[in-house]
Amino acid sequence: MKLIYKPSPNYRSPQSTSGIMKDLTYCLIAVTIFSSLYYTMAFGSNLGLRVVLMMITSVASALATEAIWCKVTKQEVIKGVLTSYGWVTAMILTLMSSIKVSYYALAVSTVIALVFGKLVFGGFGQNIFNPAAFGEAILMNTFAGSNRTDILTSATPAAAMKSYGWMTTGDTFSTMMTSKGFGSLGQMFVGWYPSAIGSTSALLILLCLAYLVYRKDIDWQASVFYIGTVFVLSLVIGLLHGQGIWYPIFQVLAGGVLFGGVFMLTDPVTSPVTILGRIVFAVGAACFTLIFRLRSNMPDGVLYSILLMNMLTPAIDKMLEGSQIKDIAKLKKRAIIAIACMALVTIGVGAIAKTQSAASTGNPASVNEFAAAIPESTISWEGTDYE
Amino acid sequence: MPIITGRMFQHLDGHKDLTNHTDVLTIKDPDVLYIPLMNGNAPCNPLVKVGDEVKVGTKIAERNDHFYLPLFSPVSGTVTGIEKRMTTAMKMADHLRIENDHKNTEEQAFEPLDYESASNEELLNFVKNAGMLGLGGAGFPTYVKFLKPENVDLFIVNGVECEPYLTADYKNMLANMDLLKVGSLALLKLSQAKKGCISVKEDKKDLIAELQKTFAGTAIEVRPVPDIYPAGWERTLVYLLTKKRYDRLPIEAGCILNNASTAIALGNALVNGKPITRKYVTVSGDGVANPQNVIVPIGMPAHDVVTACGGYLSDECVICAGGPMMGTAVPNDTFVIGPANNGLTIFVKKDEESVKCLRCGKCTESCPSGLQPVRINAAEKTKNIEALKNLDVASCIECGLCTYVCPSKLDVTEGIRRAKRYMALMAKKK
Ligand code: SF4
Ligand code: SF4
């Protein structure tokens, strides 16, 4: 008979990190299946299949990379790979990519994402940047040229909107939606429109969010504050320019706001460890998303806003260091100041954005023609919505 | 403000069904008892010598520093020595060895008292001389809390028993409603509070019904609390009941709290003139053959208790003195049941595979003290004193919740203890 000493407590919740990753994997599989179905129905089974093959390519490269890494660093391979969760990174990376990305570019980006985005930092839990976002940035900046040109899909709403600098009149907007075949905002909500592979169905992504929150895998705060802030700030900016409710709704539905907000911003490793910190983090990311959309050359600001906030995570944690009971007033004040500053800057940036429309350019004559006249190159799949 | 800080508690699976519905067993008293001559960290002086005969209720020792606390013999027999034995805190301490003659000859330890007609001063002295102490785990002499009861709004009888597996208080309350009523009302009187309440978990429907019947028409109201951990911790309970936080003592929030078993013990002392000599103890967990509640004399070695419950189920077990959250796992079972012990939780040893911290923040959302355990552990690793100071390490009550919630199965609480020790060391150096 042996009695063993173990420091108390000797009782643990059934939830495990591997369980959390499993749930996340299920959600990502669901998004992949939806996407594959959409591409099959809209563009033929070739593209539907391509979604699946891309996913397999990326996941396989991730598993191989981590297995080799474990071998080289002399860790137990199977355990190492299973507790490093590289496949989640690979799946998110694939879902953020455009269907036109070549298998080769995707595989190489996956390897780079894992090695330089995660493993060199000391592996799972130590990385500063969201590895998937890191990989996507590489993919877009290095491999844009290797995109398949023979794959024909249509432009994405985010890219089309970008050609108006994310600020246009309601009329131009409706014309754009119909002439490009995006349909209604409702159709965008359900997800029947072209976008990055995984960011089509707002509905499905929100269901994933509900599932992950229900399973206590993630907090709801980061996602809700991110999406909510994008909505509220673009509502204000839209009002300053006399836009209707379509404007904030479009801002939320288009591009990677929902996908990024649910699957990337909630990555615990690269976000602050307190809820208050996560709120600041999410609001910050929302502000930068809008600023990048309105002021930069990138079609969508989601990716870079997340990377930027990843970089600020240690600072946010430091800022909110203290007791959440005794120091709560002080911590709340700091958070509110940070949030207020970022929101004001964003509204300021939004206020000076120019409304671009067919009418304001005066040429070509009709709104319809203008929308049709947007050169395909600026709105086609050169980059993806995340850039 | 759960939206921005997390809820600062967790619902745990209490596994209380293991022992809730089984009968309470009175087991045969052991042949030899070892009465710990300790109260908290303070020694108690023996009042008997080797060779003395003692009876049930004989005063055998007392604590006599800035606090006073008498100890009474639970059995009749002969004092055969003073031995050093390991306590549940894993320190060596003197224990009074009493050989039991199994005759249970009694002596009146003190006269019963009618609390209603007694003056507050008489009552306070009674509580002091009857050796009443916190039976919920703290073991703090009860009278001290009532020395200066000023501006007390609410007197709370704490029957929450939030530790998983433990049902001793629940069983004790159900069996001794009348004594609970007397003891609670007496304490309410001492507290000079206008209102009193008794709190138990809301899922204990049968108990709540009984309590409502018992306390109907008194100034004590039954106020159920949610089934969360650590609802029975003073700060959390005061917050749940009054929405107030306090800095050092509950009296700052206008509250005085006492454990329900303490109230029952006081009831027993007032009505029957009997001191605390026996305890309800829950023996539970997947490592013991017959999980159940037992009534045992203070000073009974854990080994004998476990044997009476059918023994261990595996060759490698973990035995916690108390519940699994706050009870220390002791590497042997020679320790004895002290007045503040209310459980033995026994598990078959199992190994947890831990992975790296994923910074999920579950520990920062659950910590009832509002701390950020993950950051404390990180700061402890780099010995970052500045950060440790900001992070208020000293407020940790070692409730164990941070380890419980950690999905990466890290020993988070143990890291906090290391940080506390490190800070204490640094403070000393200065
Ligand atoms: S053990 Fe300490 S740090 Fe951990 S949850 Fe409890 S009070 Fe907080
Ligand atoms: S609960 Fe565990 S994994 Fe999560 S932040 Fe705390 S220590 Fe890290």
Side-chain angles (χ1 to χ4, degrees), chain A residues 2 4-5 8 10-13 15 17 79 216 219 221 269 271 273 276 278 317 320-321 324 326, chain B residues 3 13 15 315 317 324 329 353 359-360 362 364-365 370 372 375 390 395 404 407-409 411 417:
Chain A
K2 217 169 115 201
I4 290 137
Y5 171 73
S8 71
N10 281 283
Y11 194 43
R12 287 185 183 273
S13 128
Q15 188 180 42
T17 298
K79 193 180 160 226
K216 300 204 170 77
D219 291 316
Q221 280 92 343
V269 175
S271 57
V273 290
L276 193 56
R278 288 188 181 155
D317 271 340
L320 300 177
E321 191 171 83
Q324 298 181 91
K326 290 186 197 159
Chain B
I3 290 186
D13 183 352
H15 291 280
D315 282 343
C317 283
E353 291 270 337
R359 292 172 44 89
C360 65
K362 288 187 191 297
T364 63
E365 286 159 38
Q372 305 177 4
R375 305 224 54 223
N390 280 342
S395 293
Y404 173 85
S408 291
K409 313 292 172 199
D411 284 324
R417 290 195 191 104

Side-chain angles (χ1 to χ4, degrees), chain A residues 189-274:
Chain A
F189 181 73
V190 178
W192 223 246
Y193 72 101
S195 184
I197 295 177
S199 58
T200 57
S201 176
L203 180 63
L204 183 59
I205 293 171
L206 290 177
L207 286 178
C208 288
L209 174 65
Y211 174 73
L212 293 173
V213 168
Y214 168 75
R215 299 271 297 168
K216 300 204 170 77
D217 295 327
I218 59 174
D219 291 316
W220 56 268
Q221 280 92 343
S223 307
V224 170
F225 272 84
Y226 177 67
I227 297 163
T229 308
V230 168
F231 183 86
V232 170
L233 288 183
S234 48
L235 178 73
V236 173
I237 294 171
L239 286 177
L240 288 176
H241 292 271
Q243 313 290 26
I245 193 74
W246 65 267
Y247 184 70
I249 295 181
F250 182 81
Q251 285 277 15
V252 168
L253 291 182
V257 168
L258 284 166
F259 185 83
V262 172
F263 290 112
M264 297 169 70
L265 217 63
T266 52
D267 168 21
V269 175
T270 53
S271 57
V273 290
T274 56

Side-chain angles (χ1 to χ4, degrees), chain A residues 273, chain B residues 357-363 374 402 405-408 410 412:
Chain A
V273 290
Chain B
C357 166
L358 90 155
R359 292 172 44 89
C360 65
K362 288 187 191 297
C363 49
V374 46
C402 43
V405 294
C406 180
S408 291
L410 299 165
V412 193

Side-chain angles (χ1 to χ4, degrees), chain B residues 385-396:
Chain B
I385 298 215
E386 209 41 54
L388 284 174
K389 266 192 204 137
N390 280 342
L391 288 163
D392 194 21
V393 182
S395 293
C396 165

Side-chain angles (χ1 to χ4, degrees), chain B residues 61-105:
Chain B
E62 59 188 14
R63 172 178 179 181
N64 227 339
D65 49 0
H66 48 291
F67 294 138
Y68 176 76
L69 184 81
L71 304 179
F72 300 86
S73 174
V75 293
S76 59
T78 322
V79 177
T80 52
I82 291 181
E83 268 181 34
K84 282 230 183 284
R85 292 172 76 94
M86 202 197 240
T87 66
T88 52
M90 282 184 281
K91 292 197 186 100
M92 296 309 276
D94 284 339
H95 287 63
L96 196 67
R97 186 175 194 277
I98 300 178
E99 224 148 273
N100 188 359
D101 63 11
H102 292 285
K103 291 192 190 119
N104 277 323
T105 337

Side-chain angles (χ1 to χ4, degrees), chain B residues 35 63 105 131 148 157 181 291 295 311 333 336 339 374 403-404 410 419:
Chain B
I35 311 292
R63 172 178 179 181
T105 337
K148 268 194 248 106
V157 182
K181 180 175 177 183
I295 299 178
D333 56 8
V336 299
V374 46
T403 293
Y404 173 85
L410 299 165

